[in-house]
Amino acid sequence: MTAKDKLENISIETILAQYNPWWKSGGVKTEDFKRPIFHKIFKDLLNLKQIISITGPRRVGKTTLLKQIIQSLILEQKIEPSRIIYFSFDDPLLAEPHLREHFFDRLIQWADIKHKEKLVYFFLDEVQKFDRWELYLKKYFDLNFPVRFVISGSASSPIFRKSRESLLGRIKDNHLLPFSFKEFVYFRSADNKELLDFVGRADQFGYKLQREMVVNWRDITSESGSLSLSKPMFDGLNELLDQYFVEGGFPEVWEIKDFVDKQEYLFDNQVKKVIFEDLVIATEFRKPENIKAFYISLVEQPGQEINIEKTAQKTGISRPMLEKYLPLLEMTDLVKTVPRFSKRPLKFRRGSVKCYLIDLALRNAILKLDHNLLNDDAMMGLYAENLVFNALRQFAGQIELTFYKDAKREIDFVVHLGGKRYLPVEVKYRQTPDDLPAMERFLEEYNQSLGIVVTKDFYTPSAPSGKVLFIPLSVFLLFF
């Protein structure tokens, strides 16, 4: 009996029953904590016809998000549980690729007959394992079948990204990243109302900053200002930041008690599987160990400016291959790059770039670092810079994020906002930030009204002068 015959002998309902316990129970067991992106996706699902796509690195919480959406459909929208169908394409029953195509058509036809033109919600997980999935979704979307598709896949699969291109206009993508520091605080301090009230005020300050580029200095300098906080609360916020430096933003890892087990889990799932499975399948690399060596060279010093020639000598990998590896590592969400500043946004540049990590816990796992890394002031400066980079990537309305460097001066980041508007951001993660001629020169040369210096624990003085806002890292990260 062939695999297809075996599949035919199993009813669709039998296959789906284990994935959809809410058909019998009427409810979904899942995490209570909902990330901010949940509300956006749920609103889109109710109001838009488009296919909803959720991508992101491995083990970042995509499946949990799907289950939370299913739960809200049942409890809040009163959708019949039987009209909500979840399936994962990594099911061993569909080990042979051609079986997935046959199964998918059977699945849609079964749902259409069973529910007789009632709207059915399909949640398809690990969809990148279904070859040509985009053609099948496009088919039923264009035929106006009474279905809504929510799909999830790993952004570490270049194949998945390429497949989405044929669905332009029919799909709305949502990229799920590791927990931000603000989400980490919400998660770890759910019972601390005073702290969460401050987080909410900081969030509102950041919202106004991003959309209006306006700072009410009283919010910072006045004891009654929105960013005023007590020393015990500030100390507690910094303790959470120290935890975040070490543990990062992958929620599954937080539940693992043994520190060595945590690191092995991260390394196996976020590095080995991405490089030795996803990239090998997508690109047919014969020597994935080379790209692993290149990645580890980037991990050693986050925020470093990449010189391809020197890196080629260090790793023993040719320059053409390194130039090929870097975009692939970006595509997999292992690293992100920042180009050098140019007054012409989006101008193609072949010059230097800086590389940052999507999550610092990956570096800790690869280099076997524990809480003792917090005593390394120089490395903490680099970690702070990496966190600022990850936050600024979320800056609303930005056109581009770059770093500024001339013969004498350098600024860590410049946010391009269009219309010759720039926001320079410098990271000075120490008690007494100084040495700001590069910031002052940039503001003067480009006629800008505001710059930000991210510090360790230093706020703008009570009598601010000039255009520079000093803000501690643990507060700045709450803006985004």
Side-chain angles (χ1 to χ4, degrees):
M1 182 181 290
T2 66
K4 183 177 179 181
D5 292 334
K6 290 179 182 178
L7 186 62
E8 290 283 2
N9 288 334
I10 306 174
S11 72
I12 289 286
E13 288 195 55
T14 300
I15 295 172
L16 294 177
Q18 59 184 327
Y19 287 107
N20 298 269
W22 48 88
W23 290 355
K24 287 186 177 181
S25 67
V28 183
K29 292 182 179 180
T30 186
E31 300 290 339
D32 292 332
F33 180 81
K34 291 183 173 69
R35 301 179 65 177
I37 197 173
F38 163 84
H39 304 286
K40 173 182 177 294
I41 294 174
F42 192 63
K43 181 180 178 181
D44 286 346
L45 178 62
L46 298 179
N47 298 319
L48 301 179
K49 183 185 176 182
Q50 289 169 295
I51 299 164
I52 304 296
S53 167
I54 303 172
T55 61
R58 290 173 178 265
R59 319 314 300 172
V60 80
K62 297 186 293 295
T63 301
T64 296
L65 185 56
L66 293 182
K67 298 292 179 65
Q68 290 175 330
I69 295 170
I70 292 170
Q71 182 187 60
S72 292
L73 285 174
I74 295 172
L75 297 181
E76 298 174 20
Q77 300 301 312
K78 308 303 180 184
I79 303 297
E80 299 170 59
S82 63
R83 289 198 287 123
I84 300 172
I85 300 170
Y86 173 90
F87 183 73
S88 176
F89 280 96
D90 64 357
D91 190 300
L93 271 175
L94 307 182
E96 297 180 23
H98 70 278
L99 295 178
R100 296 170 189 146
E101 301 174 2
H102 176 69
F103 174 79
F104 186 75
D105 276 334
R106 276 186 66 198
L107 176 62
I108 301 296
Q109 291 163 11
W110 169 82
D112 187 44
I113 293 170
K114 181 177 177 64
H115 294 288
K116 299 177 181 177
E117 298 188 355
K118 288 183 179 180
L119 183 62
V120 178
Y121 294 85
F122 284 94
F123 291 80
L124 306 176
D125 210 353
E126 299 293 345
V127 75
Q128 79 277 0
K129 297 187 177 182
F130 174 20
D131 292 340
R132 299 185 299 171
W133 60 268
E134 72 282 1
L135 301 181
Y136 286 83
L137 266 63
K138 181 176 181 291
K139 168 186 171 182
Y140 291 106
F141 181 92
D142 290 348
L143 288 172
N144 288 316
F145 264 62
V147 296
R148 292 301 317 277
F149 292 114
V150 180
I151 63 173
S152 173
S154 173
S156 64
S157 172
I159 298 173
F160 184 65
R161 289 193 174 189
K162 185 177 180 180
S163 297
R164 293 203 314 267
E165 294 172 4
S166 64
L167 288 170
L168 289 177
R170 300 176 179 86
I171 190 167
K172 185 165 185 182
D173 190 27
N174 300 271
H175 197 57
L176 191 64
L177 294 169
F179 273 52
S180 67
F181 176 63
K182 180 165 65 177
E183 292 175 309
F184 184 82
V185 173
Y186 273 125
F187 186 86
R188 286 288 174 91
S189 305
D191 298 326
N192 189 335
K193 185 179 183 302
E194 184 182 9
L195 179 57
L196 296 189
D197 285 345
F198 176 77
V199 175
R201 297 197 304 272
D203 180 74
Q204 287 300 309
F205 182 95
Y207 180 90
K208 188 172 183 180
L209 172 69
Q210 293 172 68
R211 283 156 182 80
E212 302 177 19
M213 283 289 289
V214 173
V215 171
N216 182 346
W217 294 98
R218 284 184 57 81
D219 286 336
I220 302 162
T221 61
S222 169
E223 291 185 2
S224 61
S226 65
L227 294 188
S228 174
L229 75 168
S230 65
K231 186 178 186 304
M233 191 192 305
F234 185 51
D235 290 343
L237 197 58
N238 283 326
E239 287 178 11
L240 287 169
L241 179 59
D242 284 346
Q243 293 174 28
Y244 187 69
F245 274 134
V246 177
E247 297 188 32
F250 291 96
E252 283 191 359
V253 180
W254 303 337
E255 300 174 3
I256 301 174
K257 302 301 181 184
D258 184 80
F259 197 78
V260 174
D261 290 344
K262 285 186 179 187
Q263 293 186 331
E264 289 180 352
Y265 179 90
L266 270 177
F267 185 73
D268 288 344
N269 284 279
Q270 300 301 327
V271 180
K272 288 175 67 175
K273 285 188 177 179
V274 170
I275 292 175
F276 287 89
E277 292 182 22
D278 296 343
L279 282 179
V280 169
I281 292 170
T283 63
E284 298 181 356
F285 274 132
R286 295 183 179 180
K287 294 183 177 180
E289 60 273 11
N290 284 349
I291 197 169
K292 176 187 171 187
F294 178 44
Y295 173 60
I296 291 176
S297 76
L298 300 179
V299 161
E300 289 175 351
Q301 189 171 3
Q304 65 180 306
E305 189 173 344
I306 301 301
N307 182 303
I308 295 295
E309 289 290 351
K310 291 182 179 178
T311 305
Q313 293 175 6
K314 180 179 178 180
T315 61
I317 306 169
S318 69
R319 174 174 181 148
M321 290 307 295
L322 289 182
E323 290 176 338
K324 183 178 181 180
Y325 289 164
L326 193 53
L328 287 171
L329 286 173
E330 276 205 88
M331 188 181 293
T332 61
D333 271 339
L334 285 174
V335 300
K336 294 295 176 184
T337 61
V338 180
R340 194 165 177 170
F341 174 84
S342 168
K343 288 187 288 186
R344 287 183 284 177
L346 308 181
K347 175 187 174 185
F348 178 75
R349 313 178 191 91
R350 291 187 61 85
S352 297
V353 297
K354 284 188 172 184
C355 281
Y356 294 92
L357 308 180
I358 197 72
D359 193 279
L360 290 166
L362 298 179
R363 182 180 190 274
N364 299 339
I366 292 168
L367 301 183
K368 309 300 181 186
L369 302 175
D370 58 19
H371 291 79
N372 289 318
L373 71 90
L374 298 172
N375 300 320
D376 185 341
D377 291 341
M379 187 53 63
M380 283 298 96
L382 296 178
Y383 271 43
E385 185 179 323
N386 203 120
L387 292 188
V388 170
F389 163 74
N390 285 335
L392 290 176
R393 289 180 62 211
Q394 310 306 316
F395 199 105
Q398 69 159 296
I399 296 174
E400 190 178 23
L401 183 62
T402 63
F403 72 96
Y404 176 85
K405 186 176 183 180
D406 61 19
K408 297 180 179 179
R409 299 176 179 88
E410 183 173 349
I411 295 175
D412 293 321
F413 305 107
V414 178
V415 183
H416 296 236
L417 297 167
K420 296 182 179 180
R421 294 182 304 141
Y422 307 109
L423 175 66
V425 179
E426 181 72 0
V427 183
K428 301 284 187 182
Y429 193 64
R430 49 182 180 263
Q431 267 77 17
T432 307
D434 51 15
D435 188 28
L436 300 176
M439 173 72 73
E440 294 166 353
R441 173 70 180 274
F442 185 94
L443 293 172
E444 179 182 355
E445 181 175 348
Y446 293 99
N447 192 28
Q448 300 301 305
S449 60
L450 178 66
I452 296 178
V453 176
V454 181
T455 70
K456 188 170 186 178
D457 54 17
F458 181 82
Y459 266 112
T460 290
S462 58
S465 60
K467 307 173 181 179
V468 180
L469 168 66
F470 293 83
I471 203 83
L473 176 65
S474 58
V475 177
F476 176 82
L477 296 176
L478 303 178
F479 294 169
F480 305 92

